[in-house]
Amino acid sequence: MGASLPPKEANLFKLIVKSYETKQYKKGLKATDTILKKFPNHGETLSMKGLTLNCMDRKSEAYELVRLGLKNDLKSHVCWHVYGLLYRSDREYREAIKCYRNALRIDPDNIEILRDLSLLQAQMRDLEGFVETRQQLLTLKPNHRMNWIGFAVAHHLNSNGSKAVDILEAYEGTLDDDYPPENERCEHGEMLLYKISLLEECGFPERALEELRKKESKMVDKLDYKEQEALLILKLGRFEEGEKLFRVLLTMNPDNYRYYDGLQRCLGLYSEKGQYTADEIDRLENLYRVLAHQYSRSSAVKRIPLDFLQDDKFREAADNYIRPLLTKGVPSLFSDLYPLYDHPGKADILGEFVLKLEQSLKSTGGYPGRVEKEPPSTLMWTLFYLAQHYDRREQYDIALTKIDEAIEHTPTVIDLYSVKSRILKHAGDLAAAAALADEARCMDLADRYVNSECVKRMLQADQVTLAEKTAVLFTKDGEQHNNLYDMQCMWYELASGESYLRQGELGRSLKKFLAVEKHYADITEDQFDFHSYCLRKMTLRAYVEMLKFQDRLHSHAYFRKAASGAIRCYLKLYDSPLKSASEEDDAMSKLPPSQKKKLKQKLRKAEARAKKDAEVKIEESNATSATKSGKRHVKPVDPDPHGEKLIQTEDPLAEASKYLKLLLKHSPDFLETHLLSFDVNMRKQKILLALQAIKHLMRLDADDPKSHLCLMKFFHKVDSLPTPVTDTEKLIWGVLEAERPAFSQLHGKSLIEANNTFLEKHKESLMHRAAVAELLHVLEPNKKAEAVKLIEDSVNDLVSMDGGQGTVRSWKLNDCIIVHKLLETTLVDHDAASRWKVRCAEYFVYSTYFGGIQSSANNQIQKSPANGAVGLNAGENSSLSSNGRLEKLNALKDLQI
């Protein structure tokens, strides 16, 4: 570095490098200017000046200087290295790797460049290159522990675990017998546990166990040691020995569910599906009776038997488990027991049992069969549980009665209002649910969770403006959008995006969905710093797990929701393109002069208001971002805050395809992925890709109404195609003819016959009938009346729930809303849609969509055009509690305007 410079300037060059490493950029910049006064064409100095400017957010100057420096000294490894660092800072990793490789051609043994290259190879999953670079580093510096470990990890990631074990053993062979010293015991112990996990992964559990016991004295984490030992013994099938070890672990932590699972496996009493024979249930009951006596304070030992006990034994165990928690007042009791509602008959037993407790508490003030009186709060928590129980069973009238009774009993408990809000949401009264959630929030303004719950309810009710004002209460300054974005608050962005999509504001909706996609890109980038940190700190098992997590990152539910939301936005943009400027001018020219003048004034006012709001936000941001030192951190202003540029895309389907590829790669087992694939590819006229989507839909769920809809629409489209002319068309046609017999639904049947067969098979289901009706309208447009009748003839029968005695109506609120939209928009029968709405209002009395008799829509006095928020009067039929706080819901309309 700086070899071509005189001694004085060479020392200055070293100062530049040191200043860059210590982030003293102004000092480094001053030194570069000093050298460049004498040697204006010195390539390495120009490159270092560019690198320094890059750290000062002067990127365009930085690239110019680095390229100039490289031009002046193409044979300098420093210039190529700096160019790579510049690309790396902009996340252009492939370009950075090219620069590093050019630098290594000039200086092949430069450890710093090799180390930087290895980090990028790990980031880009160039595993073969990663192994090669790590081997080179080890060859150059074999006395450095990190090089040995890095080489082993590289082989492990490259699916060569046995080689990684050999490398770690070779490294151990270089160590003294008394190694490690006291200050390195944790790191060395972690390395040994990593080696043992490698042996297990390679299929050598016996060798792993032997190594584990041999190195016990060198391991600091004794709990991890015991857990690994127990799991290895279990894997080896030495169940008696494993039982003893798991019992020892239970003495250390009797509330760890994994230890109970391990013990059951050792005793041959474990079932993945939770299904046991009568003999196994008796043995499990005896086991947990002994364990409960031994660990009387453990919650897990009392909760686990509820999963396998049946009938009277289940009732007795539930009694012993629930009573103390109701007395103590544990709000999460229902969440704890929620999985039991999927077990046949257990929901009925729980409901009957808690109802008896309620009756006894009301009549005697104590539990049945006990003389002791319970505290008054026990009745309130019992009602609280029952409200959630009936909400889960979709008996909203009883649920609201119970929760209102609990609120009347103790009106100061926040959880009661939150649960009532949730019940109203499930019942379909989203505006009232938002008001209740806001009431709960106002009872404790310092509770972030309650605030977030309130924001979520407001967004579900499409009260976006009010939700934003509420969310900002827990951000650092007035820039709520920037703060929520910086905090990667994805649940808010997803809910907000869905709300905007419902309201048809595609720009804002896309902005939110793509913000979530950007967070996932940032999470992927954030792994970069851990490639060196984890090797240095020896957190090897966590590091490898993190890399595996990163590889499946885009399969996460939040990304799936964001990507599917963005695709739906682009599909709407494609179906209803925005008007061009010339089209808007033509439309305006056709207006009468008076309306034209009013419209122009309205547009000018809106533009002025938006400009003023933007200026105010910038001023507020600058005012609040001043630090104690008086310096201001000016945040970059978003040039497109409402997503207006996003919806100006020329090819919405191309944009949708970007996110579709990610879904197909990372979420191939979800029906929605292939439904979206079908929609996109049918619009793009990609027939074979649409066929591929159909095949995946049939594989996942051939009986789903959406799958049937896509199958029939696809072959209806195929049958209407013109006779193939070109070779490509003939090839596609040949594939379609070959694949058609693979669909059993179409064997020897026309599409109309296949549709009728599907109806016969699923005639009791509303959504299946709706799908058949829609297809009938597509296949035979003249039979629209018959299609409408098919839907209207549907019967809302009573069906059993959770395999127990309780019954509910088979129709679901969201399904009925979809059917109403189908009648209104697809079949275009407004009279039938009105009849359907009246009919559904009888079943869903709290639904604001259908105007149910007990919904807040019955007292609607104003609807804001901004987001459809509903204001209410405190009428008798209001579903809010009569505790004197109804004015909050009335105030919603004022906040919206």
Side-chain angles (χ1 to χ4, degrees):
M1 289 190 302
S4 60
L5 293 170
K8 184 181 176 183
E9 281 72 21
N11 288 332
L12 269 177
F13 189 86
K14 289 177 183 176
L15 177 65
I16 295 167
V17 175
K18 188 177 179 182
S19 299
Y20 168 74
E21 290 171 349
T22 56
K23 299 183 180 180
Q24 295 177 312
Y25 302 126
K26 288 185 178 178
K27 187 177 180 181
L29 204 59
K30 189 176 178 183
T32 58
D33 289 338
T34 304
I35 295 174
L36 291 172
K37 280 179 184 176
K38 290 186 178 180
F39 304 96
N41 295 321
H42 188 251
E44 293 181 359
T45 307
L46 286 167
S47 295
M48 285 305 300
K49 183 177 181 181
L51 188 60
T52 305
L53 288 173
N54 181 60
C55 298
M56 300 170 74
D57 292 328
R58 292 160 65 178
K59 288 194 178 290
S60 57
E61 294 177 64
Y63 272 99
E64 284 177 20
L65 284 167
V66 171
R67 284 169 183 152
L68 181 60
L70 189 59
K71 184 180 177 183
N72 290 341
D73 195 352
L74 269 173
K75 292 187 178 181
S76 167
H77 70 273
V78 173
C79 293
W80 282 109
H81 190 191
V82 168
Y83 201 19
L85 290 172
L86 209 60
Y87 274 124
R88 192 183 82 177
S89 70
D90 288 336
R91 299 179 178 179
E92 296 282 349
Y93 295 138
R94 297 197 185 282
E95 294 299 320
I97 287 173
K98 290 178 187 175
C99 293
Y100 289 157
R101 290 199 182 279
N102 283 331
L104 287 170
R105 287 193 187 99
I106 299 162
D107 187 2
D109 294 337
N110 189 303
I111 288 175
E112 193 174 338
I113 299 173
L114 283 167
R115 194 182 298 122
D116 284 348
L117 176 61
S118 73
L119 299 180
L120 287 183
Q121 288 168 330
Q123 179 78 6
M124 299 302 293
R125 301 297 189 271
D126 175 13
L127 299 178
E128 290 183 5
F130 186 39
V131 169
E132 185 184 326
T133 306
R134 275 289 160 192
Q135 185 173 12
Q136 204 171 344
L137 279 166
L138 179 60
T139 306
L140 290 169
K141 239 184 176 181
N143 60 341
H144 201 300
R145 179 185 71 181
M146 189 173 164
N147 290 340
W148 285 94
I149 303 303
F151 190 35
V153 169
H155 274 291
H156 181 201
L157 295 176
N158 199 32
S159 304
N160 195 349
S162 57
K163 183 69 174 176
V165 172
D166 293 341
I167 293 164
L168 291 174
E169 287 181 343
Y171 166 67
E172 286 183 85
T174 65
L175 304 175
D176 298 330
D177 293 337
D178 59 347
Y179 190 87
E182 195 62 35
N183 63 338
E184 293 183 19
R185 280 175 58 79
C186 286
E187 289 89 341
H188 188 69
E190 179 60 33
M191 187 272 287
L192 292 173
L193 286 169
Y194 172 64
K195 177 186 167 185
I196 288 152
S197 71
L198 274 175
L199 286 167
E200 183 186 359
E201 191 178 308
C202 292
F204 305 120
E206 196 156 346
R207 188 178 159 194
L209 180 61
E210 183 186 340
E211 184 73 15
L212 182 73
R213 287 176 168 170
K214 183 180 173 183
K215 300 291 173 64
E216 179 184 0
S217 60
K218 295 190 176 184
M219 294 185 188
V220 178
D221 192 341
K222 297 302 180 186
L223 177 62
D224 209 342
Y225 167 82
K226 289 183 184 296
E227 288 180 346
Q228 288 291 332
E229 184 182 21
L231 291 171
L232 286 169
I233 285 172
L234 179 62
K235 199 166 189 176
L236 288 166
R238 289 148 59 173
F239 298 127
E240 288 185 13
E241 196 178 346
E243 180 189 346
K244 292 176 184 176
L245 284 171
F246 278 111
R247 288 186 185 276
V248 170
L249 286 168
L250 281 172
T251 61
M252 300 169 73
N253 182 2
D255 279 309
N256 191 317
Y257 280 68
R258 290 187 295 116
Y259 298 163
Y260 290 102
D261 284 349
L263 181 59
Q264 285 182 218
R265 288 175 190 272
C266 290
L267 294 169
L269 296 173
Y270 183 80
S271 169
E272 289 286 348
K273 296 180 180 179
Q275 296 173 350
Y276 301 96
T277 63
D279 179 58
E280 286 173 337
I281 290 173
D282 289 340
R283 288 173 61 198
L284 281 168
E285 185 185 2
N286 293 331
L287 170 66
Y288 280 95
R289 189 184 298 115
V290 173
L291 290 172
H293 180 72
Q294 191 176 353
Y295 307 113
S296 57
R297 296 174 67 87
S298 168
S299 172
V301 80
K302 296 168 189 163
R303 171 63 184 83
I304 293 171
L306 298 180
D307 290 330
F308 59 78
L309 291 174
Q310 302 292 333
D311 303 327
D312 291 338
K313 289 182 178 179
F314 171 77
R315 185 179 283 104
E316 183 184 349
D319 188 347
N320 294 332
Y321 184 71
I322 291 172
R323 285 192 189 193
L325 298 180
L326 288 176
T327 302
K328 191 181 289 186
V330 178
S332 60
L333 175 60
F334 181 79
S335 299
D336 183 15
L337 299 178
Y338 189 85
L340 297 176
Y341 281 71
D342 292 327
H343 296 207
K346 289 188 178 180
D348 289 328
I349 294 173
L350 288 171
E352 290 168 9
F353 166 67
V354 181
L355 274 174
K356 286 181 182 176
L357 294 185
E358 180 203 11
Q359 291 164 5
S360 178
L361 287 166
K362 285 180 177 178
S363 58
T364 67
Y367 288 135
R370 290 191 183 177
V371 180
E372 301 89 355
K373 299 289 184 185
E374 288 293 317
S377 62
T378 305
L379 175 59
M380 185 269 292
W381 290 115
T382 304
L383 293 165
F384 179 70
Y385 179 90
L386 283 170
Q388 294 173 89
H389 166 81
Y390 286 114
D391 177 38
R392 170 66 175 76
R393 313 215 77 192
E394 299 179 16
Q395 294 174 279
Y396 302 120
D397 282 322
I398 306 174
L400 287 167
T401 302
K402 296 296 180 186
I403 201 66
D404 281 340
E405 198 176 335
I407 290 172
E408 189 177 349
H409 183 281
T410 313
T412 55
V413 178
I414 299 172
D415 297 279
L416 302 179
Y417 298 91
S418 295
V419 164
K420 183 169 183 182
S421 169
R422 198 173 301 128
I423 295 168
L424 287 169
K425 182 199 77 168
H426 295 156
D429 198 339
L430 299 176
L436 260 298
D438 191 48
E439 187 167 350
R441 180 189 69 82
C442 292
M443 294 172 75
D444 186 356
L445 296 173
D447 192 319
R448 186 193 288 267
Y449 172 77
V450 178
N451 182 275
S452 299
E453 191 83 0
C454 176
V455 171
K456 192 183 289 186
R457 295 285 172 266
M458 289 172 173
L459 290 172
Q460 287 163 351
D462 293 340
Q463 300 168 6
V464 183
T465 308
L466 187 55
E468 287 175 355
K469 290 178 181 177
T470 308
V472 74
L473 298 173
F474 277 86
T475 56
K476 290 181 181 178
D477 55 47
E479 283 278 331
Q480 63 264 41
H481 297 289
N482 284 348
N483 273 286
L484 290 166
Y485 177 82
D486 293 339
M487 290 190 293
Q488 297 185 341
C489 192
M490 288 187 267
W491 67 263
Y492 171 81
E493 287 164 335
L494 286 172
S496 184
E498 290 291 350
S499 178
Y500 281 129
L501 183 56
R502 285 192 296 270
Q503 298 170 64
E505 296 190 38
L506 297 182
R508 290 172 182 260
S509 180
L510 263 178
K511 188 78 176 175
K512 296 297 182 185
F513 288 135
L514 298 190
V516 176
E517 189 271 335
K518 178 68 167 60
H519 295 326
Y520 276 84
D522 290 340
I523 293 168
T524 302
E525 298 303 330
D526 288 343
Q527 70 177 299
F528 185 84
D529 294 329
F530 291 97
H531 297 310
S532 58
Y533 174 84
C534 291
L535 294 180
R536 191 170 67 250
K537 293 294 184 180
M538 300 291 282
T539 54
L540 304 176
R541 290 177 299 162
Y543 173 60
V544 172
E545 281 302 312
M546 184 270 292
L547 292 180
K548 290 177 180 176
F549 164 76
Q550 289 284 354
D551 290 340
R552 61 177 186 271
L553 179 66
H554 288 88
S555 63
H556 195 272
Y558 274 10
F559 178 81
R560 196 164 60 246
K561 289 176 184 176
S564 62
I567 292 169
R568 282 183 280 130
C569 286
Y570 284 123
L571 289 176
K572 283 197 172 188
L573 272 176
Y574 177 80
D575 293 339
S576 305
L578 298 174
K579 288 183 179 180
S580 64
S582 58
E583 288 175 330
E584 287 179 0
D585 291 341
D586 290 342
M588 188 176 283
S589 64
K590 294 174 184 176
L591 292 174
S594 58
Q595 288 187 16
K596 195 186 296 183
K597 187 177 179 182
K598 285 181 182 178
L599 185 59
K600 285 182 178 179
Q601 286 177 347
K602 191 176 180 181
L603 288 171
R604 277 199 298 270
K605 285 180 181 179
E607 191 177 339
R609 193 183 304 115
K611 188 177 179 182
K612 187 178 179 182
D613 289 346
E615 289 172 356
V616 168
K617 280 187 177 181
I618 292 169
E619 287 176 11
E620 286 177 355
S621 176
N622 291 339
T624 55
S625 61
T627 61
K628 290 180 181 179
S629 62
K631 295 180 181 178
R632 292 183 177 182
H633 304 290
V634 180
K635 294 179 182 177
V637 178
D638 188 348
D640 186 26
H642 303 314
E644 290 169 3
K645 292 180 182 176
L646 289 173
I647 58 175
Q648 299 296 331
T649 177
E650 293 180 1
D651 191 352
L653 293 182
E655 295 296 324
S657 297
K658 293 178 187 176
Y659 302 102
L660 180 60
K661 285 177 184 175
L662 287 168
L663 285 179
L664 289 169
K665 182 181 178 182
H666 296 283
S667 301
D669 295 329
F670 288 87
L671 206 67
E672 187 183 18
T673 298
H674 302 291
L675 290 170
L676 291 170
S677 176
F678 175 79
D679 288 339
V680 171
N681 288 308
M682 285 298 282
R683 285 168 173 80
K684 291 173 74 176
Q685 303 296 318
K686 301 284 187 181
I687 299 298
L688 293 183
L689 288 175
L691 174 65
Q692 188 182 55
I694 293 288
K695 294 184 74 172
H696 283 299
L697 289 171
M698 294 298 108
R699 172 181 61 85
L700 291 170
D701 189 355
D703 289 329
D704 188 276
K706 293 177 182 176
S707 299
H708 175 70
L709 203 60
C710 291
L711 176 67
M712 295 292 113
K713 283 185 176 180
F714 176 77
F715 281 105
H716 177 64
K717 170 75 174 176
V718 168
D719 292 344
S720 64
L721 290 174
T723 306
V725 178
T726 65
D727 291 341
T728 304
E729 289 174 349
K730 288 176 182 178
L731 183 62
I732 292 172
W733 192 266
V735 173
L736 293 173
E737 288 300 312
E739 288 289 341
R740 189 165 187 149
F743 298 100
S744 59
Q745 298 88 336
L746 303 177
H747 280 173
K749 298 174 187 172
S750 67
L751 294 181
I752 295 171
E753 289 170 341
N755 199 33
N756 291 334
T757 304
F758 189 78
L759 174 63
E760 284 300 313
K761 188 177 178 182
H762 303 285
K763 59 184 176 183
E764 304 299 327
S765 165
L766 172 64
M767 294 309 291
H768 288 81
R769 293 177 74 94
V772 170
E774 183 178 348
L775 285 167
L776 181 61
H777 180 57
V778 171
L779 299 172
E780 300 179 273
N782 59 330
K783 291 189 177 181
K784 174 180 165 181
E786 191 178 324
V788 171
K789 186 175 184 301
L790 194 59
I791 293 174
E792 291 188 321
D793 286 348
S794 303
V795 180
N796 192 7
D797 292 325
L798 290 169
V799 294
S800 64
M801 190 175 189
D802 306 321
Q805 300 169 3
T807 56
V808 294
R809 295 283 179 183
S810 60
W811 293 0
K812 305 298 179 189
L813 174 59
N814 288 336
D815 291 345
C816 290
I817 291 172
I818 291 169
V819 171
H820 179 261
K821 290 177 179 176
L822 173 68
L823 291 167
E824 189 78 43
T825 57
T826 305
L827 300 179
V828 197
D829 190 330
H830 302 300
D831 292 336
S834 300
R835 291 195 299 271
W836 183 259
K837 194 167 187 176
V838 170
R839 186 178 177 188
C840 289
E842 296 174 7
Y843 294 124
F844 304 103
V845 293
Y846 294 98
S847 169
T848 49
Y849 183 90
F850 291 118
I853 193 170
Q854 296 189 55
S855 73
S856 56
N858 259 0
N859 297 301
Q860 184 174 351
I861 58 174
Q862 184 162 348
K863 187 170 182 179
S864 167
N867 55 20
V870 180
L872 304 178
N873 284 325
E876 292 178 3
N877 291 327
S878 173
S879 53
L880 294 175
S881 62
S882 55
N883 61 357
R885 298 199 178 195
L886 285 169
E887 63 276 5
K888 277 193 181 298
L889 197 50
N890 279 325
L892 283 176
K893 65 181 188 298
D894 299 324
L895 288 167
Q896 292 295 310
I897 297 171

